[in-house]
Amino acid sequence: MRASFSRTRGAPYAFLAPALILFAAFLAAPIVYTVYLSLRRVQVKGLGLGAGSRSEVWAGLSNYARSMTDPDFSPSVERIGAYGAIVVPIMLGLALLMALLLDAGRTRVGTFARTAIFLPYAVPAVVASLLWGFLYLPRVSPIVDAMQGAGLNPPNFLGNSWVLWAVANIAVWGGTGFNMIVLYTALRAIPTDLFEAARLDGASDTQIALRIKIPIIAPSLVMTFVFSLIATLQVFAEPMTLRPLSNTISTTWTPLMKVFRDAFTRNDVYSAAATSVVIAVASFVLSFGFLKIVGSRAFSQED
């Protein structure tokens, strides 16, 4: 009996063991190692040519100070802030609008519409950036040809004035479908009795959407906002892919591009690790702060 009871008690841990091992090996360990590297530096003795002339020593917070005072860091943060101010409201606004329209039953091709809207999310960011990059190039862009054919003066999408919007457009195009599916799923979970009662009271579809649907799916809106915020702070693939097509995108256009430059171009993994930790902490603080401000109010509606 005791042996059988011990095996029963140990079964949950046996099932959890593979997930815990993968979590420790591929998430926890890299985070700990990154923090460790951010606190180290290379000390060079003499000309640094002989054996033992380079050694790794304790650096304290000097890498963080060097990263934060880097003249390329502040512009990249400001740029990512402007990028987020464009992407997050537009993407979530479109996702909410499409989810409400699909839920209202105004289209007879609901399955096709959901698939078509979601499909861009299935396209890898690098592939999507390449596709849009060719659409932005004046010599091969059908958009430019159509505007010129209509007598309009097409802008330089990859120029200084438009490049931020060009990168943001790729993110909106790719992320709207995912957020729409999340919000549409939440809408489908609302009991239809609420809508029928509202219609009997004379409420229109717009009033039902504004006063019933949106308040009920507020937790899903909060969740999609947090995911979008984290994705904004970690944007990398789109500008990195477009960079060979335009000289307006620098190697430090976003904070993660700066990390890439420091680690693989300058071979300074210690500064790159410090910047990575700063980005991770900023993501946690902003996400936790937003959840603290609006999360309790939104999720309390589920009680």
Side-chain angles (χ1 to χ4, degrees):
M1 289 292 293
R2 290 184 177 179
S4 177
F5 181 71
S6 299
R7 286 195 298 268
T8 302
R9 292 188 60 184
Y13 300 101
F15 284 114
L16 287 174
L20 293 176
I21 292 173
L22 291 174
F23 173 82
F26 296 102
L27 185 62
I31 291 175
V32 172
Y33 186 60
T34 301
V35 174
Y36 168 79
L37 286 178
S38 69
L39 301 173
R40 309 287 288 181
R41 66 179 178 86
V42 171
Q43 185 178 56
V44 181
K45 298 179 181 179
L47 297 177
L49 301 177
S53 61
R54 294 174 176 268
S55 59
E56 191 177 271
V57 297
W58 177 259
L61 299 177
S62 61
N63 288 323
Y64 291 93
R66 187 154 54 93
S67 175
M68 299 293 287
T69 56
D70 190 318
D72 294 324
F73 182 73
S74 294
S76 68
V77 172
E78 294 172 1
R79 199 175 293 114
I80 212 65
Y83 170 88
I86 296 171
V87 171
V88 176
I90 295 177
M91 182 170 61
L92 294 186
L94 289 174
L96 178 59
L97 177 62
M98 293 175 182
L100 289 171
L101 290 176
L102 289 173
D103 186 64
R106 295 186 177 183
T107 174
R108 297 180 180 179
V109 288
T111 302
F112 173 79
R114 291 194 300 271
T115 304
I117 297 171
F118 179 78
L119 192 59
Y121 179 74
V123 179
V126 174
V127 176
S129 301
L130 286 173
L131 291 174
W132 279 101
F134 285 109
L135 291 176
Y136 292 149
L137 288 176
R139 294 183 179 179
V140 297
S141 173
I143 300 175
V144 173
D145 293 341
M147 295 182 68
Q148 289 177 342
L152 301 175
N153 185 23
N156 181 8
F157 293 109
L158 297 177
N160 283 322
S161 302
W162 285 88
V163 66
L164 182 65
W165 292 91
V167 177
N169 173 66
I170 300 174
V172 171
W173 179 79
T176 299
F178 170 78
N179 292 291
M180 182 275 295
I181 290 295
V182 173
L183 298 178
Y184 178 75
T185 304
L187 287 170
R188 298 297 293 176
I190 301 175
T192 57
D193 296 345
L194 295 175
F195 308 148
E196 294 173 359
R199 288 191 178 94
L200 289 175
D201 290 337
S204 63
D205 288 341
T206 302
Q207 291 173 326
I208 292 174
L210 295 176
R211 298 183 181 181
I212 298 179
K213 292 183 178 182
I214 294 179
I216 290 179
I217 66 169
S220 297
L221 284 170
V222 171
M223 182 182 68
T224 53
F225 181 89
V226 171
F227 287 165
S228 301
L229 180 63
I230 295 173
T232 295
L233 294 174
Q234 298 177 355
V235 62
F236 175 79
E238 294 86 351
M240 195 69 179
T241 306
L242 291 177
R243 186 172 169 270
L245 305 179
S246 172
N247 57 8
T248 58
I249 301 178
S250 65
T251 56
T252 58
W253 202 79
T254 67
L256 272 186
M257 291 179 67
K258 178 182 179 301
V259 171
F260 183 87
R261 183 205 64 178
D262 292 344
F264 300 106
T265 303
R266 295 184 174 180
N267 199 27
D268 186 2
V269 295
Y270 307 100
S271 178
T275 307
S276 299
V277 173
V278 171
I279 296 172
V281 171
S283 301
F284 173 78
V285 170
L286 291 176
S287 302
F288 181 79
F290 178 78
L291 288 174
K292 194 71 174 177
I293 294 172
V294 304
S296 58
R297 181 178 178 182
F299 287 98
S300 65
Q301 298 179 11
E302 294 185 332
D303 300 336

